[in-house]
Amino acid sequence: MNKRAVREATSGEAIVVMLLILVVFVVGFGIIHADGMLVLITAAIIGGVFAKILGHTWTEMAKEIALRVGNAFPALMVLLATGLLVGSWMAAGIIPMMIYYGLKLISPEYLIPASFCVCIIVSIVCGTSWGTVATIGVAVIGIAMGLGVPLPMVAGAIISGAYFGDKMSPLSDTTIMAALMAKTDVYDHIRQMTVTTFPAMVIAGILYLVLGRNVSGADMMQSPIYRSMVLDLSTNFNFNIILLIPMLIVVVCAAIRIPTVPALVASALMAMGMAVSFQGLPFSDAIQAGRTGFHAGTMMPGAEFAAETLKLINRGGLSSMFESVIYALVAFCFGGMLSVTRCLEIALRRIVAPMRTVATVVNAAGLSAGAIVGLSSNCNVTFFLVADIFGKKFQELRLKEQNLSRVMEDFATLLECLMPWTVSGIYMASTIGVPNLSFAPYAFFNYGCAALSIFYALTSKTFSRWAFSYYDAKHNPEVYIEGRA
C-alpha cells in the first residue's frame, strides 16, 4: 500500500499564503466591512486548500480544529456564563441599581476617566479583564447610555482599565502564562512590564480627561432621556445594599482563585433568588432571565418604561451569546487549517533568521505575537510559539527573559480584544454591546503599550536603554555579542 505523501510548506509558499490571508482580512474587515464570519470562512478555505495541496486530509484538519475547540472550551463556557450572569443581574435589580446611582452621582464629563480608573482597580483585584467587563463594564455602559456620553469612548476606557489588571495582576492567567513560557519569574515579569504599562496608563488617563472635558454635562443632565431613565429605574426596581452580594461573590472568588465559570454561575444563582425576593418576580421568570435574558415587558407586567430604558435593561441571557460562540467556532476552523500547514511558524522563522539588533528582534517578536494571537485566538499558543521562535535571539542580544515576556503581553494580551474575529474580541463586543472597531480607537492603554514597546526598541541604544534588562557579559558569556545591545 502506497504511503500518502505529505510535505512541509516552503518558506516562500508560507509567506505567500500568509500575505493572501492578510489581504482577505484587510479587505474584508477594513475596506468592505463584510460579515466577520464570511471573512473567516474565506480565510479558512484558503488555509484548507493549501493544506490539501501539501497532502493533508480533511480528517487531520478536523482533528486540529477539534483540538483548538477543546483547548478553548473553558473560554466558551465563560462566554455563556456571562450571558447567564447579565440576565440574572438585570432581573435582580443589581445592574439597574448601579446604573441609577451612577446616573445620580457621576457627572458626565468625569464618566470616561472614572470608568478607566474604576476598571483598573477592579481588574487588579480580580486579575481578569473578562470578569471586570462583565460586571462593572456592563453597568458603566448603562450609565453612559443614560447620560448620553458616546458609547465607543466609554467602552474604550472600560477595555483599557480592564486590561491593566489583566496584564499587571499576579492573579491573571495571561500574566502567569507569559512568564512561564518565557521561563522567567512572574514578579520579574511584572516589574519589567511597568516600563510600558505605567507610562501608557498615565497617557491614557490624560486623554480620557480631555475627552471627558469635551462632554457637555449640563445639557445631558437636563435631557428627557436622562430624566426618564432615572424615574423608570427608581420606580420599577427595589434597591438595597444586599443586592451587591452577587457582585461580591465574583470578586472574592477571583481573589481566592476559584475558576471563573463556577464563580459566575454561583453569582447568577444568588441573583435569581434576589430577583424573586427583592423584585417580586416569579421564580420561573428569574430562571428565564438567565436563559433568554431579562425582558421587562413580560416579566414586569403593568410597569411603564421609556423606550430608551427598555433598550438598556432588556439584555443578557445564555441565548444572547449563541451567535458569539458560533463566531468563535468559525475562528477555530480558520486557526485549525492554518495550524495544519504551519505557514505562520515557517514564515516567521525565515524572516527572523537574519535579525541581529534589539530593534529588529524585539519589534519582530511583538508584531509576531500580535499576528499569532490574531490568527489563533489563543494567548497561550501565542506565548509558546513566540518564546520558541525568539527566545534564542533574545539571549544572543543579552536580553533577559522578562523582556520577551513583557513584549508578548504588550502585543498579544492587549491587542487581541481589539480584533473582531478573536475569542476575546468577540467576548468584549458581545458583553458591552459596542463593536470592536468602534471602541478600538479609544482603547488608548492597549495600543499605547504596544507603541511604547516599539519606541523603546527603536531607541534601545540611546534613549531607552533603561527600558531593557540585560545580562552582564560575565554572567552570561556564552551569549554575549559585543556591540549588538
Side-chain angles (χ1 to χ4, degrees), residues 278-359:
F278 284 92
Q279 310 306 333
L281 266 64
F283 186 69
S284 59
D285 281 353
I287 297 293
Q288 187 75 1
R291 190 173 72 85
T292 61
F294 178 73
H295 300 282
T298 57
M299 296 179 181
M300 290 184 166
E304 295 184 2
F305 293 91
E308 293 81 6
T309 308
L310 289 175
K311 184 179 178 181
L312 172 64
I313 63 177
N314 286 348
R315 298 189 61 191
L318 283 168
S319 60
S320 69
M321 294 296 183
F322 288 168
E323 184 176 351
S324 297
V325 170
I326 295 171
Y327 200 137
L329 293 176
V330 173
F332 293 139
C333 289
F334 161 64
M337 298 298 186
L338 204 62
S339 179
V340 168
T341 64
R342 295 181 58 244
C343 281
L344 184 60
E345 183 180 349
I346 292 168
L348 282 177
R349 289 191 186 280
R350 174 66 181 271
I351 294 169
V352 168
M355 294 180 179
R356 294 289 185 271
T357 66
V358 170

Side-chain angles (χ1 to χ4, degrees), residues 12-209:
E13 289 173 334
I15 291 172
V16 168
V17 170
M18 294 311 305
L19 287 175
L20 185 57
I21 289 173
L22 180 61
V23 169
V24 169
F25 275 28
V26 171
V27 173
F29 287 109
I31 298 177
I32 65 175
H33 305 290
D35 180 83
M37 288 191 191
L38 293 179
V39 175
L40 287 173
I41 289 171
T42 303
I45 290 172
I46 293 172
V49 169
F50 186 61
K52 191 66 178 175
I53 291 173
L54 295 178
H56 296 284
T57 65
W58 166 248
T59 301
E60 292 172 334
M61 300 178 211
K63 284 182 179 179
E64 189 62 36
I65 294 169
L67 178 63
R68 287 175 175 271
V69 173
N71 290 336
F73 186 73
L76 297 178
M77 290 295 291
V78 171
L79 198 65
L80 294 172
T82 298
L84 178 72
L85 182 82
V86 172
S88 60
W89 277 24
M90 283 292 185
I94 298 167
I95 295 176
M97 181 176 72
M98 295 171 66
I99 294 171
Y100 172 78
Y101 285 109
L103 290 172
K104 297 289 286 184
L105 298 175
I106 299 177
S107 180
E109 58 264 31
Y110 294 113
L111 179 62
I112 297 174
S115 304
F116 179 54
C117 295
V118 170
C119 288
I120 283 177
I121 295 169
V122 174
S123 64
I124 283 287
V125 173
C126 297
T128 168
S129 56
W130 286 34
T132 301
V133 170
T135 53
I136 298 298
V138 171
V140 170
I141 284 292
I143 296 168
M145 291 176 67
L147 293 175
V149 181
L151 296 187
M153 295 182 183
V154 178
I158 291 168
I159 296 297
S160 288
Y163 272 87
F164 180 94
D166 205 346
K167 187 184 180 193
M168 294 298 291
S169 174
L171 302 176
S172 168
D173 290 342
T174 54
T175 301
I176 295 169
M177 285 302 298
L180 180 65
M181 292 300 179
K183 300 181 177 66
T184 188
D185 178 75
V186 67
Y187 290 101
D188 288 339
H189 167 56
I190 291 173
R191 280 192 290 271
Q192 185 63 34
M193 285 196 296
T194 60
V195 301
T196 53
T197 300
F198 282 103
M201 178 187 68
V202 172
I203 293 169
I206 293 171
L207 292 174
Y208 291 133
L209 280 170

Side-chain angles (χ1 to χ4, degrees), residues 68 84 95 107 120 193 205 228 261 263 267 273 293 297 304 342 360 366 369 372 375 377 395 409 411 421 466 481:
R68 287 175 175 271
L84 178 72
I95 295 176
S107 180
I120 283 177
M193 285 196 296
S228 64
V261 171
S267 177
E304 295 184 2
R342 295 181 58 244
T360 56
I372 294 171
L375 296 172
S377 291
Q395 284 187 350
E409 288 247 62
F411 286 84
W421 61 88
W466 58 271
I481 300 179

Side-chain angles (χ1 to χ4, degrees), residues 153-481:
M153 295 182 183
V154 178
I158 291 168
I159 296 297
S160 288
Y163 272 87
F164 180 94
D166 205 346
K167 187 184 180 193
M168 294 298 291
S169 174
L171 302 176
S172 168
D173 290 342
T174 54
T175 301
I176 295 169
M177 285 302 298
L180 180 65
M181 292 300 179
K183 300 181 177 66
T184 188
D185 178 75
V186 67
Y187 290 101
D188 288 339
H189 167 56
I190 291 173
R191 280 192 290 271
Q192 185 63 34
M193 285 196 296
T194 60
V195 301
T196 53
T197 300
F198 282 103
M201 178 187 68
V202 172
I203 293 169
I206 293 171
L207 292 174
Y208 291 133
L209 280 170
V210 172
L211 286 178
R213 299 274 296 190
N214 293 327
V215 173
S216 179
D219 294 339
M220 292 177 183
M221 300 293 278
Q222 299 303 317
S223 71
I225 294 176
Y226 172 84
R227 293 200 298 269
S228 64
M229 279 191 178
V230 170
L231 181 62
D232 289 347
L233 295 174
S234 61
T235 301
N236 296 301
F237 289 94
N238 297 312
F239 299 145
N240 191 301
I241 195 171
I242 296 175
L243 291 176
L244 295 177
I245 291 177
M247 179 176 289
L248 187 62
I249 288 174
V250 175
V251 174
V252 171
C253 287
I256 62 178
R257 306 298 288 167
I258 290 177
T260 303
V261 171
L264 297 182
V265 171
S267 177
L269 292 175
M270 174 67 75
M272 289 177 190
M274 289 183 169
V276 175
S277 56
F278 284 92
Q279 310 306 333
L281 266 64
F283 186 69
S284 59
D285 281 353
I287 297 293
Q288 187 75 1
R291 190 173 72 85
T292 61
F294 178 73
H295 300 282
T298 57
M299 296 179 181
M300 290 184 166
E304 295 184 2
F305 293 91
E308 293 81 6
T309 308
L310 289 175
K311 184 179 178 181
L312 172 64
I313 63 177
N314 286 348
R315 298 189 61 191
L318 283 168
S319 60
S320 69
M321 294 296 183
F322 288 168
E323 184 176 351
S324 297
V325 170
I326 295 171
Y327 200 137
L329 293 176
V330 173
F332 293 139
C333 289
F334 161 64
M337 298 298 186
L338 204 62
S339 179
V340 168
T341 64
R342 295 181 58 244
C343 281
L344 184 60
E345 183 180 349
I346 292 168
L348 282 177
R349 289 191 186 280
R350 174 66 181 271
I351 294 169
V352 168
M355 294 180 179
R356 294 289 185 271
T357 66
V358 170
T360 56
V361 171
V362 170
N363 286 334
L367 295 174
S368 298
I372 294 171
V373 80
L375 296 172
S376 69
S377 291
N378 190 311
C379 275
N380 292 341
V381 169
T382 300
F383 296 155
F384 172 78
L385 287 176
V386 173
D388 181 54
I389 294 170
F390 288 92
K392 190 171 182 181
K393 284 290 182 181
F394 272 67
Q395 284 187 350
E396 290 175 357
L397 295 168
R398 298 190 295 118
L399 291 168
K400 291 184 177 180
E401 290 78 4
Q402 56 262 39
N403 295 285
L404 177 57
S405 61
R406 189 265 296 168
V407 171
M408 293 193 300
E409 288 247 62
D410 283 339
F411 286 84
T413 302
L414 296 185
L415 298 186
E416 181 189 3
C417 66
L418 307 183
M419 305 173 191
W421 61 88
T422 64
V423 175
S424 183
I426 293 166
Y427 177 88
M428 295 302 162
S430 301
T431 302
I432 60 179
V434 179
N436 306 77
L437 297 182
S438 295
F439 68 69
Y442 302 102
F444 301 131
F445 172 77
N446 292 57
Y447 57 76
C449 287
L452 283 170
S453 180
I454 292 172
F455 172 74
Y456 291 154
L458 292 175
T459 59
S460 58
K461 290 185 178 180
T462 54
F463 178 80
S464 301
R465 185 177 175 84
W466 58 271
F468 296 92
S469 297
Y470 290 93
Y471 281 112
D472 293 332
K474 62 181 180 180
H475 292 146
N476 205 18
E478 69 277 10
V479 297
Y480 178 69
I481 300 179

